């Protein structure tokens, strides 16, 4: 397949080896339905524990074990329904499946909501006695310690039940946004580089923005954002609803702010968030210099926002069909050793990945799955270098999940979003290092150098800009401000002007970009892309410089799941995120790469 713009007209036209195998989760919907009923039934039976959780070590252990069994089933049920819908978000049957799974999940959350309040009634001295009484209970020690750490923020059993009952309604802003953004919104048709008509989609927007033809880039940019502009008031209200939900939850749980509530879940100090923004503010000159280099390299009188994604090295093209991309990834990840590579190969060979775009398919890419399934990867592959790096990125998430699930019990198999981007970004860094070392063509090396700088720009600088935007708008609402489309657009445009500097024209259209960023519905999520990238740069450098010792340390990190707090798990991997050192080091690398590009251009 040599065509860069691979979009199948129908999903059934895609060769089966390029689709994920959800039948390995459930052979049919009947089997799925049976698991759904089992989970709901077990949740009803679980009510027998009400009022008894703290009676003895035996009862506490049994309750936690049975609770995990319920969540283990319903998480698989929900994961399957979600991925099934993502194959084609227009399919009513799949929408109904996810709706049924979500309702069941909320119902189960309600039934189990008394567990934590009852645990909080157990004093530490009694809990220590229970560990001696019931040896198996020690499995849950970190989990129980974490619950007690948040004691002042957990409500009564009655109040927790009420909040759980509100779960389905509280999820509405994100669900409405997802449907509008992925299924209902339609973008105009423009002409591509060959003069062919092509409809702008969520998936092909970035490839269009990478076009060498400036008219194509400008048309795609204006076509997409003018469409968002037509819906700006609707997007404002969906975002506003989500923000108010999170502020409400923070207040009722006795937090001083929504950011404190969000970061406390993973025991992350707010100073980590603030230090990130401050570090970026202190290193904006390197970004301004990079923008000047881009302007000179493209030979334009004015650099515009639609010029940010196109490679600045002319006449260099990486056309990488998917099969070639897989082999490139395996070579790039070779420093990680046989244990790691064997899992990557398993993912490639056993249909973990849904590769190509089809109408209605969810845009973007992600890694998903459940404790009792393979990891799964959704992507929309376009034979570009960016597509290769996307697969490598998502494979990092999947391998992290694979190792965590294989080496941790269900309660600790997940991992914090604070460390979630480390494995994915380390994969990209190692792949890029391999390519830079093995390509002799100076122009292609310059192209890859530009690609690396773009990773810094989009993952460190841009995500920090998102994080600052999020912090500003939450604080605005928390201080009594009323969100309007004009306020959001004005705030967002000013941040773009600050982060990109005087060497670029910050087009008016970019002011509405916030409306297409789904991560603003994830509640202070995006800053972790930047901190995770910084940690990953440090770890990848350790692997390349120290070899097997660093690899062993890293694999152990991947196997740790959430068996300890994320800050501690990363420290064991050789990175201390409580200091400014990892972020400053990453920005120092960025500055050196900018200087190197300046020398070569």
């Amino acid at each position: 397949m040599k065509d860069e713009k691979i979009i199948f007209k129908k999903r059934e036209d895609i060769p089966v080896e390029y689709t994920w195998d959800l039948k390995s989760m459930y052979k049919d919907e009947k089997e799925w339905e049976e698991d759904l009923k089992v989970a709901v039934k077990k949740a009803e039976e679980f009510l027998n524990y009400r009022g008894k959780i703290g009676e003895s070590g035996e009862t506490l252990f049994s309750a936690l074990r049975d609770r995990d069994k319920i969540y283990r089933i319903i998480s698989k049920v929900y994961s399957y329904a979600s991925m099934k819908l993502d194959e084609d978000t227009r399919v009513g049957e799949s929408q109904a499946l996810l709706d049924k799974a979500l309702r069941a999940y909320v119902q189960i959350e309600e039934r189990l909501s008394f567990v934590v309040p009852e645990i909080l009634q157990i004093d530490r001295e009694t809990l220590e006695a229970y560990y001696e009484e019931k040896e198996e209970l020690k499995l849950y020690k970190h989990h129980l310690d974490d619950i007690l750490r948040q004691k002042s923020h957990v409500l009564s059993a009655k109040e927790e039940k009420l909040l759980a009952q509100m779960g389905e309604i509280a999820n509405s802003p994100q669900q409405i946004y997802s449907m509008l953004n992925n299924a209902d919104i339609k973008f105009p048709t423009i002409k591509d580089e060959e003069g062919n008509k092509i409809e702008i989609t969520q998936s092909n927007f970035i490839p269009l923005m990478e076009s060498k033809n400036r008219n194509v880039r400008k048309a795609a940019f204006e076509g997409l954002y003018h469409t968002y502009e037509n819906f700006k008031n609707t997007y404002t209200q969906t975002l506003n609803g989500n923000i108010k939900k999170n502020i409400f939850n923070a207040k009722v749980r006795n937090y001083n702010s929504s950011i404190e509530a969000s970061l406390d879940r993973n025991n992350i100090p707010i100073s980590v968030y603030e230090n990130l923004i401050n570090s970026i503010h202190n290193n904006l000159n390197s970004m301004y210099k990079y923008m000047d280099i881009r302007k000179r390299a493209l030979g334009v009188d004015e650099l515009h926002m639609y010029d940010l994604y196109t490679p600045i090295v002319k006449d260099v093209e990486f056309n990488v069909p998917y099969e070639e991309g897989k082999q490139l990834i395996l070579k790039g990840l070779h420093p990680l050793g046989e244990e790691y590579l064997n899992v990557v190969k398993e993912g490639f060979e056993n249909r973990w990945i849904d590769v190509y775009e089809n109408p209605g398919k969810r845009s973007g890419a992600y890694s998903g799955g459940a404790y009792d399934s393979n990891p799964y990867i959704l992507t929309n592959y376009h034979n570009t270098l960016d597509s290769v790096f996307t697969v490598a990125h998502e494979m990092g998430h999947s391998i992290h999940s694979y190792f965590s699930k294989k080496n941790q019990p269900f309660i600790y198999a997940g991992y914090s979003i604070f460390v979630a981007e480390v494995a994915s970004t380390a994969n990209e860094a190692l792949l890029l290092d391999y390519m830079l070392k093995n390509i002799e063509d100076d122009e292609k090396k310059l192209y890859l150098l530009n690609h690396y700088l773009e990773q810094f720009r989009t993952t460190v600088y841009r995500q920090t800009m998102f994080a600052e935007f999020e912090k500003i708008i939450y604080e605005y609402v928390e201080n009594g401000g009323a969100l309007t489309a004009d306020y959001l657009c004005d705030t967002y445009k000013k941040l773009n002007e600050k982060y990109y500097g005087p060497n670029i024209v910050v087009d008016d259209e970019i002011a509405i970009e916030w409306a297409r960023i789904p991560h603003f519905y994830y509640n202070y999520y995006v800053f972790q892309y930047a901190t995770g990238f910084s940690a990953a740069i440090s770890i990848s450098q350790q692997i390349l410089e120290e070899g097997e010792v660093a690899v062993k340390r890293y694999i152990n990190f991947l196997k740790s799941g959430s068996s300890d707090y994320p800050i501690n798990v990363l420290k064991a991997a050789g990175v201390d995120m409580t200091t400014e050192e990892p972020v400053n080091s990453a920005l120092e690398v960025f500055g050196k790469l900018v200087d190197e590009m300046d020398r070569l251009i």
Side-chain angles (χ1 to χ4, degrees), residues 284-472:
L284 287 173
N285 284 338
S286 293
M287 177 56 66
Y288 298 166
K289 184 174 182 179
Y290 178 46
M291 290 298 102
D292 182 60
I293 292 171
R294 176 168 281 275
K295 179 181 177 181
R296 287 188 281 119
L298 291 176
V300 294
D301 294 330
E302 291 183 339
L303 184 72
H304 284 261
M305 300 302 289
Y306 48 80
D307 296 320
L308 284 178
Y309 289 90
T310 187
I312 62 178
V313 181
K314 297 179 180 179
D315 302 318
V316 174
E317 185 173 319
F318 284 88
N319 181 38
V320 191
Y322 179 64
E323 293 298 330
E324 291 181 17
K326 290 196 301 185
Q327 296 307 310
L328 191 58
I329 290 169
L330 288 170
K331 291 175 182 176
L333 301 184
H334 181 75
L336 290 169
E338 187 176 353
E339 183 180 11
Y340 191 97
L341 287 177
N342 284 341
V343 184
V344 178
K345 291 173 184 175
E346 182 180 341
F348 283 149
E349 295 166 5
N350 292 335
R351 293 179 59 199
W352 289 6
I353 308 175
D354 204 75
V355 180
Y356 294 114
E357 184 177 1
N358 57 261
K361 182 179 175 180
R362 173 175 165 155
S363 62
Y366 68 77
S367 171
Y371 187 78
D372 293 302
S373 78
N374 296 323
Y376 288 95
I377 295 171
L378 178 140
T379 187
N380 291 273
Y381 198 88
H382 280 285
N383 283 13
T384 62
L385 186 63
D386 186 63
S387 290
V388 179
F389 277 93
T390 296
V391 174
H393 179 101
E394 300 304 336
M395 186 60 79
H397 287 307
S398 289
I399 304 301
H400 194 173
S401 298
Y402 178 92
F403 278 129
S404 291
K405 290 187 292 188
K406 291 290 184 182
N407 292 277
Q408 296 294 333
F410 177 79
I411 188 65
Y412 301 129
Y415 45 84
S416 153
I417 56 175
F418 187 73
V419 301
E421 295 303 323
V422 173
S424 54
T425 307
N427 269 12
E428 289 194 72
L430 291 170
L431 174 57
L432 193 63
D433 180 80
Y434 168 81
M435 295 183 72
L436 284 170
K437 288 176 179 175
N438 288 275
I439 292 178
E440 297 180 0
D441 187 297
D442 285 344
E443 289 297 297
K444 285 195 172 185
K445 280 189 177 181
L446 195 55
Y447 182 100
L448 286 168
L449 184 62
N450 176 222
H451 181 86
Y452 203 10
L453 288 171
E454 280 299 286
Q455 292 297 300
F456 273 93
R457 179 183 71 81
T458 57
T459 311
V460 180
Y461 282 91
R462 189 165 184 258
Q463 298 298 333
T464 303
M465 183 182 74
F466 288 169
E468 186 171 0
F469 175 72
E470 195 168 10
K471 188 171 185 289
I472 289 170

Side-chain angles (χ1 to χ4, degrees), residues 5 190-196 205-221 298 300 306-311 314-315 317:
K5 299 176 179 64
I190 63 170
K191 289 185 178 180
D192 64 14
E193 294 179 4
E194 290 77 38
N196 301 315
F205 175 65
I206 294 301
L208 287 170
M209 292 293 287
E210 293 171 344
S211 171
K212 290 182 290 186
N213 188 316
R214 202 179 194 202
N215 291 329
V216 172
R217 301 198 302 269
K218 186 172 187 290
F221 180 83
L298 291 176
V300 294
Y306 48 80
D307 296 320
L308 284 178
Y309 289 90
T310 187
K314 297 179 180 179
D315 302 318
E317 185 173 319

Side-chain angles (χ1 to χ4, degrees), residues 167-325:
E168 195 170 357
I169 299 172
N171 226 24
S172 293
Q174 186 174 351
Q175 293 292 327
I176 294 168
Y177 171 83
S178 180
M179 279 296 134
L180 175 59
N181 212 45
N182 292 307
D184 293 343
I185 196 168
K186 299 296 179 187
F187 301 105
T189 297
I190 63 170
K191 289 185 178 180
D192 64 14
E193 294 179 4
E194 290 77 38
N196 301 315
K197 290 184 177 180
I198 181 172
E199 182 182 346
I200 303 168
T201 67
Q202 298 281 12
S203 295
N204 71 16
F205 175 65
I206 294 301
L208 287 170
M209 292 293 287
E210 293 171 344
S211 171
K212 290 182 290 186
N213 188 316
R214 202 179 194 202
N215 291 329
V216 172
R217 301 198 302 269
K218 186 172 187 290
F221 180 83
E222 292 178 347
L224 184 105
Y225 289 121
H226 287 171
T227 303
Y228 273 103
E229 178 74 17
N230 293 334
F231 295 92
K232 66 179 182 181
N233 294 310
T234 301
Y235 280 112
T236 296
Q237 290 311 309
T238 57
L239 183 57
N240 195 23
N242 195 68
I243 290 172
K244 286 181 177 178
K245 172 196 72 175
N246 291 328
I247 292 174
F248 168 79
N249 286 335
K251 282 183 178 178
V252 299
R253 293 195 179 281
N254 305 310
Y255 285 102
N256 295 314
S257 64
S258 53
I259 188 172
E260 182 185 37
S262 179
L263 270 59
D264 188 54
R265 286 198 301 268
N266 294 310
N267 206 17
I268 306 296
I270 295 177
S271 60
V272 172
Y273 198 105
E274 293 170 339
N275 287 343
L276 170 66
I277 294 174
N278 290 335
S279 292
I280 292 293
H281 287 179
N282 292 332
N283 287 273
L284 287 173
N285 284 338
S286 293
M287 177 56 66
Y288 298 166
K289 184 174 182 179
Y290 178 46
M291 290 298 102
D292 182 60
I293 292 171
R294 176 168 281 275
K295 179 181 177 181
R296 287 188 281 119
L298 291 176
V300 294
D301 294 330
E302 291 183 339
L303 184 72
H304 284 261
M305 300 302 289
Y306 48 80
D307 296 320
L308 284 178
Y309 289 90
T310 187
I312 62 178
V313 181
K314 297 179 180 179
D315 302 318
V316 174
E317 185 173 319
F318 284 88
N319 181 38
V320 191
Y322 179 64
E323 293 298 330
E324 291 181 17

